[in-house]
C-alpha cells in the first residue's frame, strides 16, 4: 500500500512461498525493513472487510439491451493498490442523471430496447419508413437528427427514469391519463414532405415475366448493396430476363442515361450536349421492357438526332454501382444463397439448383408422363402457383422422350417453346406411326446422300434428321404453337396428305446440296497451292456451319431451300480463286470484319435468354450491314454461321 516496499522476515512460513497478496501485522526495521506476522490473503477479502477504506472509479457508462439498464465498469483501489481492475455494475443508481440521458438516447431514440409498448412499435415503424424514403431517394436530409428526438422524449419523461424497469412502470401509469403521450408524428420526424418519393418512382416490387420481384433500397455508397436490390427466390431465378433489370426503377433511369451518354466517345458524345437534357427526354419517352436498355436508348437518340450509335460505343462498365441492379438469391426460408450485380452470372452459378428447386418444390398439378397421344385439353402458355406467399409462374412444355412424351412445367418461356416444338414433332410421329415407317423405308436418294454426308455424320442420323424436318415442315411450319387438342387434330387432318410430297421435295433439295458439298470437299482434298490455303480454311469453316449433325431439322426451311445455291457459290469461288487468287482475300476480310465482333459477342452471352435475345438482335444487324454493302451471296454464308450458333444453343438446352 502507498507504494511502500519491504521484505518478508526470513523466519516467516510464507517467506519462500511468495504469495501474490499478503498482509503483515508488524513492520520492523533492523538491517532492512521486515514484515512480521505475515499471511497470504485474497483481494476479495479486503473488499469485503474494508469497504470504508476503498476508492471507486467508474468508466464507460453504456446501455445494455438485454438487462435493459445502463452499465459501467468499476475499478476499486485501497491506498493505491488495485483490488479489482474492472467489474461490470448497474450504473443507474450511481449517476441517475447521466444514466437517464443514455437510456433516452440509446434505448428510445436509437431503438435499442426490447419493448412491446404500442408507442415504441409505432415510433420505430415510422422512423424506418422515413429512413426508407432516404434510401430510395438517395438523400440524407429527410429524417430529423437524433437531438430532435431526444428533446421530444426528454420533455415528456420525468427525472429518475434510467432503466427499462423504471420506465415501463412509469409508462403504465402515464398511459392511463395520456395514451398518446409518447407517440411521434410524421411531421416531427421529417424535415420536409418528400412528395417526389412515390411508389411509381420508387416501386417496392417489379413485375417481371408475370411475377413480382421484391425491391429494397439502400443509400450507402461503397456498400455491396448500395442502390436497389432485387430479392429473388431460388425457383424463380431462371425465369427472369436480365434485360428487364437494366431499366432499374423510374427514379434512377434518368441518372443512368446521363452516365451512359457521358461514357460515349467524344466524337459521339458531343452530339448529345447537354447530356441531362437528352437523358430527361429519353427517360420520358422510353418505357421499361425486355428490350435491352442500350438498344432502346440508341433507337431513341437516333430518333431525336438522327445520329447512329454503334453498340460497341457504349461503356456500361463505367456506370456507378448503384446504377446497376443488385440481386440477392434466397432459398425457401429466405436465407441468402448468393448475391451480385450480374443476374446472368448468378443464373450460371445457381441455374441447375434453381431448376431442381423449381421442379421439386412447386406443385403445378398438371404434369404427366408416358403420353402417346394428345389426351388432354389445352397446353396453357403459363401456369401459376404460390408458395410461402410468393406467386411463381411456370411454362408448360411437351418433352420428347422418344417412345412417348411428358407434360412438364419449365422455368423459362423460351426453353418451354423450343422443347414443346420437339415434343409436338414426336407426338405427330407417334400418331402417324404407319406413315413414319413408310417414309423410313422409302426416302428418295437416301443411299447416295449417305455417301455424300459421310464426312459430317452417320447415315442413320441423317435419316432421322430428315424425318424430323419433314414432320416439322408438314405440321409445325406455322409460327403459332399448337396449344389445343382441336388444333392438333386439325393439323393432322389438313396436312397429313402433304407428308410424302414434302419428304420427296426435301430429299431432292438435299440430294442436290449434298452433291455440291461432296464436290467442294473433293476440290479441297490433296495438296493445295499456298495462295489457296487461307481461302480453304475459310471455306472449311463455312462448311462446318452449313453441313453438320442435325442441320436438316435445325435449319429453317426457307434457308434450307437455298443450300444448293450456297454450296454452288462455294464452287464458283474456288473457280475464281484459280483465275484470280488476289481478289478473294479483300472480300474475305470484308465479311470477317462483320462476322468476328458478332461471334465474339455471342460467345460472351452465355445464358439461354441472353443468347436468344442477342441472336435475334445481331442477326438483324448483320442482315442490314450485308445488304447495305451489297455483298451478294456472301450474306447467306454469314447468316448461316449465326444460324449454326443458334442450333448449337438448342442442342445444349435440350
Amino acid at each position: 500500500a502507498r507504494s511502500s516496499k519491504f521484505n518478508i522476515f526470513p523466519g516467516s512460513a510464507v517467506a519462500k512461498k511468495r504469495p501474490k497478496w499478503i498482509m503483515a501485522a508488524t513492520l520492523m526495521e533492523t538491517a532492512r525493513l521486515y514484515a512480521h506476522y505475515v499471511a497470504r490473503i485474497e483481494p476479495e477479502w479486503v473488499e469485503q472487510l474494508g469497504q470504508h477504506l476503498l476508492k471507486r472509479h467508474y468508466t464507460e457508462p453504456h446501455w445494455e439491451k438485454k438487462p435493459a439498464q445502463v452499465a459501467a465498469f468499476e475499478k476499486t483501489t485501497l491506498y493505491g493498490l488495485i483490488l479489482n481492475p474492472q467489474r461490470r455494475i448497474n450504473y443507474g443508481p450511481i449517476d441517475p442523471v447521466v444514466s437517464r440521458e443514455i437510456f433516452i438516447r440509446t434505448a428510445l431514440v436509437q431503438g435499442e430496447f426490447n419493448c412491446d409498448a404500442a408507442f415504441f412499435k409505432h415510433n420505430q415503424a415510422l422512423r424506418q419508413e422515413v429512413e426508407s424514403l432516404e434510401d430510395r431517394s438517395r438523400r440524407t436530409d429527410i429524417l430529423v437528427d437524433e437531438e430532435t428526438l431526444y428533446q421530444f422524449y426528454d420533455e415528456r419523461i420525468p427525472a429518475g427514469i434510467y432503466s427499462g424497469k423504471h420506465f415501463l412502470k412509469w409508462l403504465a401509469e402515464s398511459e392511463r391519463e395520456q395514451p398518446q403521450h409518447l407517440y411521434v408524428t410524421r411531421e416531427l420526424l421529417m424535415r420536409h414532405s418528400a412528395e417526389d418519393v412515390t411508389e411509381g418512382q420508387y416501386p417496392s416490387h417489379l413485375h417481371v415475366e408475370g411475377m413480382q420481384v421484391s425491391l429494397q433500397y439502400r443509400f450507402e455508397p461503397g456498400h455491396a448493396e448500395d442502390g436497389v436490390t432485387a430479392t429473388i427466390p431460388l425457383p424463380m431465378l431462371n425465369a427472369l430476363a436480365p434485360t428487364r433489370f437494366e431499366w432499374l426503377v423510374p427514379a434512377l433511369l434518368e441518372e443512368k442515361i446521363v452516365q451512359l451518354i457521358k461514357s460515349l466517345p467524344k466524337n459521339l458524345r458531343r452530339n448529345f450536349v447537354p447530356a441531362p437534357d437528352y437523358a430527361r427526354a429519353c427517360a420520358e419517352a422510353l418505357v421499361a421492357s425486355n428490350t435491352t436498355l442500350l438498344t432502346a436508348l440508341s433507337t431513341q437518340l437516333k430518333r431525336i438526332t438522327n445520329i447512329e450509335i454503334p453498340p460497341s460505343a457504349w461503356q456500361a462498365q463505367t456506370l456507378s454501382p448503384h446504377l446497376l441492379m443488385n440481386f440477392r438469391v434466397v432459398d425457401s426460408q429466405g436465407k441468402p444463397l448468393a448475391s451480385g450485380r450480374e443476374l446472368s452470372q448468378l443464373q450460371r452459378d445457381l441455374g441447375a439448383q434453381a431448376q431442381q428447386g423449381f421442379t421439386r418444390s412447386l406443385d403445378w398439378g398438371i404434369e404427366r408422363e408416358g403420353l402417346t397421344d394428345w389426351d388432354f385439353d389445352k397446353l396453357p402458355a403459363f401456369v401459376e402457383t404460390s408458395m410461402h406467399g410468393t406467386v411463381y409462374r411456370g411454362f408448360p412444355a411437351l418433352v420428347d422422350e422418344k417412345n412417348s412424351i411428358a407434360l412438364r412445367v419449365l422455368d423459362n418461356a423460351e426453353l418451354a417453346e423450343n422443347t414443346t416444338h420437339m415434343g409436338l414433332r414426336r407426338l405427330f410421329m407417334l400418331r402417324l406411326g404407319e406413315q413414319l415407317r413408310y417414309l423410313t423405308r422409302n426416302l428418295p436418294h437416301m443411299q447416295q446422300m449417305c455417301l455424300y454426308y459421310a464426312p459430317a455424320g452417320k447415315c442413320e442420323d441423317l435419316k432421322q434428321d430428315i424425318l424430323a424436318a419433314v414432320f416439322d415442315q408438314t405440321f409445325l411450319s406455322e409460327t403459332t404453337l399448337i396449344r389445343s387438342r382441336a388444333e392438333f387434330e386439325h393439323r393432322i387432318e389438313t396436312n397429313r396428305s402433304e407428308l410424302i410430297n414434302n419428304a420427296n421435295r426435301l430429299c431432292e433439295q438435299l440430294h442436290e446440296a449434298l452433291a455440291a458439298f461432296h464436290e467442294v470437299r473433293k476440290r479441297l482434298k490433296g495438296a493445295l497451292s499456298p495462295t489457296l490455303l487461307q481461302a480453304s480454311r475459310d471455306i472449311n469453316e463455312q462448311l462446318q456451319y452449313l453441313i453438320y449433325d442435325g442441320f436438316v431439322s435445325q435449319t429453317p426451311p426457307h434457308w434450307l431451300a437455298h443450300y444448293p445455291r450456297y454450296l454452288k457459290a462455294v464452287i464458283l469461288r474456288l473457280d475464281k480463286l484459280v483465275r484470280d487468287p488476289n481478289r478473294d482475300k479483300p472480300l474475305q476480310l470484308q465479311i470477317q470484319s462483320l462476322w468476328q465482333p458478332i461471334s465474339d459477342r455471342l460467345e460472351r452471352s452465355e445464358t439461354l435468354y441472353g443468347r436468344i435475345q442477342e441472336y435475334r438482335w445481331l442477326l438483324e444487324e448483320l442482315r442490314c450491314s450485308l445488304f447495305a454493302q451489297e455483298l451478294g451471296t456472301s450474306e447467306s454464308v454469314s447468316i448461316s454461321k449465326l444460324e449454326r450458333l443458334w442450333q448449337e444453343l438448342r442442342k445444349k438446352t435440350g
Side-chain angles (χ1 to χ4, degrees):
R2 298 192 179 98
S3 299
S4 61
K5 295 182 179 181
F6 55 86
N7 296 283
I8 300 175
F9 185 69
S12 171
V14 299
K16 293 183 179 181
K17 296 179 180 179
R18 302 183 66 81
K20 186 174 182 180
W21 287 81
I22 62 170
M23 183 172 182
T26 303
L27 290 177
M28 182 181 296
E29 188 169 3
T30 54
R32 294 181 180 179
L33 183 60
Y34 286 106
H36 295 260
Y37 305 103
V38 179
R40 180 189 65 82
I41 65 169
E42 296 294 337
E44 292 84 356
W45 303 348
V46 181
E47 286 194 275
Q48 294 169 9
L49 300 172
Q51 291 283 337
H52 58 295
L53 301 173
L54 301 182
K55 288 188 176 180
R56 304 176 188 276
H57 309 270
Y58 302 100
T59 58
E60 301 180 41
H62 60 279
W63 173 255
E64 291 191 336
K65 188 174 181 179
K66 190 172 182 179
Q69 65 183 25
V70 177
F73 296 110
E74 179 189 65
K75 181 173 75 173
T76 55
T77 62
L78 173 66
Y79 303 137
L81 290 177
I82 299 175
L83 300 174
N84 193 314
Q86 182 171 287
R87 176 189 293 118
R88 183 180 278 106
I89 51 94
N90 181 6
Y91 191 63
I94 297 169
D95 193 339
V97 175
V98 171
S99 297
R100 177 180 178 274
E101 181 178 348
I102 292 174
F103 166 71
I104 293 175
R105 290 190 184 280
T106 310
L108 299 181
V109 175
Q110 297 178 14
E112 296 294 316
F113 190 17
N114 290 324
C115 180
D116 292 329
F119 91 91
F120 187 75
K121 292 181 178 179
H122 168 270
N123 292 354
Q124 287 300 105
L126 196 57
R127 177 169 181 164
Q128 289 171 5
E129 186 179 327
V130 176
E131 287 175 341
S132 174
L133 292 177
E134 288 192 329
D135 284 335
R136 293 185 184 205
S137 61
R138 302 189 65 77
R139 293 157 54 181
T140 58
D141 61 345
I142 301 177
L143 180 68
V144 297
D145 57 23
E146 291 188 350
E147 190 61 32
T148 302
L149 284 173
Y150 172 78
Q151 295 296 334
F152 172 82
Y153 287 117
D154 184 47
E155 293 170 2
R156 290 162 174 75
I157 297 173
I161 304 297
Y162 51 75
S163 70
K165 182 179 179 181
H166 288 83
F167 175 76
L168 293 176
K169 183 178 179 181
W170 167 80
L171 182 66
E173 297 173 357
S174 173
E175 286 186 336
R176 293 194 190 102
E177 299 178 1
Q178 296 176 290
Q180 304 289 318
H181 190 46
L182 294 182
Y183 277 67
V184 174
T185 63
R186 180 183 290 269
E187 291 71 25
L188 175 70
L189 280 182
M190 298 177 67
R191 290 194 178 104
H192 53 79
S193 62
E195 294 177 351
D196 56 326
V197 187
T198 64
E199 178 67 18
Q201 290 294 304
Y202 301 90
S204 57
H205 292 82
L206 273 186
H207 294 272
V208 185
E209 306 295 334
M211 293 174 284
Q212 277 196 357
V213 178
S214 174
L215 300 181
Q216 293 80 39
Y217 297 81
R218 185 171 190 147
F219 179 34
E220 190 176 346
H223 193 278
E225 293 187 354
D226 182 40
V228 190
T229 296
T231 300
I232 302 173
L234 181 63
M236 192 186 290
L237 180 61
N238 290 333
L240 301 178
T243 51
R244 174 60 185 88
F245 296 98
E246 294 177 9
W247 297 78
L248 288 175
V249 295
L252 294 178
L253 182 59
E254 185 176 326
E255 182 185 355
K256 183 169 184 176
I257 294 174
V258 169
Q259 288 199 17
L260 285 170
I261 291 175
K262 290 182 176 179
S263 77
L264 291 170
K266 186 177 180 180
N267 64 317
L268 287 171
R269 187 173 65 246
R270 65 188 179 189
N271 297 296
F272 311 112
V273 176
D277 292 348
Y278 282 92
R280 188 176 307 110
C282 290
E284 291 173 355
L286 295 175
V287 178
S289 68
N290 280 337
T291 303
T292 65
L293 174 60
L294 294 181
T295 302
L297 184 56
S298 297
T299 303
Q300 183 61 25
L301 288 174
K302 184 178 181 181
R303 187 176 292 122
I304 296 173
T305 64
N306 204 32
I307 301 296
E308 185 80 37
I309 303 176
S312 58
W314 298 107
Q315 303 298 316
Q317 69 274 12
T318 64
L319 289 172
S320 300
H322 75 276
L323 296 178
L324 301 171
M325 183 72 76
N326 185 53
F327 302 95
R328 184 195 302 121
V329 183
V330 298
D331 62 14
S332 58
Q333 307 302 318
K335 180 182 177 182
L337 297 174
S339 63
R341 297 194 184 268
E342 288 190 33
L343 181 58
S344 57
Q345 182 63 50
L346 292 171
Q347 288 173 332
R348 286 193 292 271
D349 294 342
L350 299 174
Q353 189 177 344
Q355 175 64 59
Q356 290 176 0
F358 186 87
T359 304
R360 295 175 183 175
S361 61
L362 301 174
D363 181 16
W364 302 98
I366 65 170
E367 295 182 305
R368 296 175 60 188
E369 302 279 343
L371 297 173
T372 57
D373 200 354
W374 194 303
D375 60 359
F376 49 95
D377 185 21
K378 288 186 177 182
L379 183 72
F382 64 87
V383 291
E384 292 181 341
T385 188
S386 60
M387 183 175 67
H388 304 307
T390 300
V391 176
Y392 295 90
R393 175 170 288 192
F395 306 93
L398 299 179
V399 182
D400 180 5
E401 295 189 336
K402 294 187 177 180
N403 296 320
S404 65
I405 65 164
L407 174 55
R408 297 202 182 103
V409 179
L410 306 183
D411 60 359
N412 185 281
E414 296 280 359
L415 179 59
E417 279 202 19
N418 294 334
T419 303
T420 297
H421 178 92
M422 291 182 281
L424 284 169
R425 177 201 298 158
R426 179 63 61 190
L427 203 56
F428 280 113
M429 288 180 172
L430 291 171
R431 180 68 175 272
L432 301 172
E434 185 177 341
Q435 291 88 334
L436 176 63
R437 287 187 290 275
Y438 173 82
L439 286 175
T440 303
R441 295 190 301 267
N442 296 284
L443 288 174
H445 310 297
M446 198 64 230
Q447 187 174 357
Q448 197 166 15
M449 286 193 294
C450 284
L451 291 174
Y452 295 153
Y453 182 72
K458 298 177 181 178
C459 180
E460 182 60 29
D461 293 339
L462 176 63
K463 182 183 292 186
Q464 294 303 319
D465 196 24
I466 293 172
L467 292 171
V470 169
F471 273 82
D472 281 353
Q473 292 181 22
T474 305
F475 300 107
L476 298 169
S477 59
E478 297 181 29
T479 55
T480 56
L481 207 62
I482 299 174
R483 294 197 174 276
S484 70
R485 182 173 184 174
E487 177 62 18
F488 177 74
E489 297 290 347
H490 175 73
R491 294 269 182 103
I492 288 178
E493 293 303 317
T494 305
N495 300 348
R496 66 192 303 171
S497 60
E498 296 298 319
L499 199 59
I500 305 299
N501 291 335
N502 287 340
N504 292 336
R505 182 172 58 254
L506 177 60
C507 285
E508 292 297 334
Q509 292 174 355
L510 286 176
H511 182 249
E512 186 180 358
L514 289 172
F517 172 68
H518 178 66
E519 177 64 24
V520 171
R521 288 193 54 83
K522 278 173 46 179
R523 297 275 294 268
L524 293 176
K525 279 184 179 180
L528 298 175
S529 65
T531 57
L532 300 182
L533 282 177
Q534 187 173 2
S536 173
R537 284 193 292 268
D538 185 51
I539 291 171
N540 276 318
E541 182 184 0
Q542 292 175 3
L543 291 178
Q544 290 172 10
Y545 283 114
L546 284 168
I547 308 296
Y548 53 88
D549 183 21
F551 82 96
V552 184
S553 62
Q554 294 176 10
T555 303
H558 61 281
W559 285 355
L560 194 61
H562 291 282
Y563 262 49
R565 181 169 65 87
Y566 295 166
L567 289 153
K568 287 177 182 177
V570 178
I571 296 174
L572 288 174
R573 179 182 177 184
L574 289 170
D575 293 339
K576 292 178 181 179
L577 269 169
V578 175
R579 295 194 299 270
D580 187 2
N582 294 327
R583 185 174 179 271
D584 187 85
K585 188 172 181 180
L587 295 174
Q588 181 182 335
L589 292 175
Q590 197 173 13
I591 290 292
Q592 191 63 23
S593 65
L594 293 170
W595 166 246
Q596 193 58 49
I598 292 173
S599 176
D600 292 343
R601 277 150 58 190
L602 280 171
E603 288 305 312
R604 288 197 299 268
S605 182
E606 294 179 9
T607 64
L608 170 67
Y609 191 91
R611 288 292 291 270
I612 292 170
Q613 295 302 102
E614 189 87 350
Y615 164 78
R616 289 174 171 169
W617 177 42
L618 293 175
L619 179 59
E620 291 306 316
E621 181 182 293
L622 180 61
R623 279 176 171 163
C624 293
S625 299
L626 290 166
F627 283 131
Q629 297 187 37
E630 298 180 349
L631 297 181
T633 58
S634 299
E635 164 219 351
S636 303
V637 176
S638 294
I639 288 180
S640 295
K641 288 185 178 181
L642 268 175
E643 183 60 24
R644 169 64 173 152
L645 285 177
W646 164 244
Q647 302 305 343
E648 286 179 354
L649 174 63
R650 288 183 64 180
K651 283 183 180 179
K652 289 177 183 177
T653 58

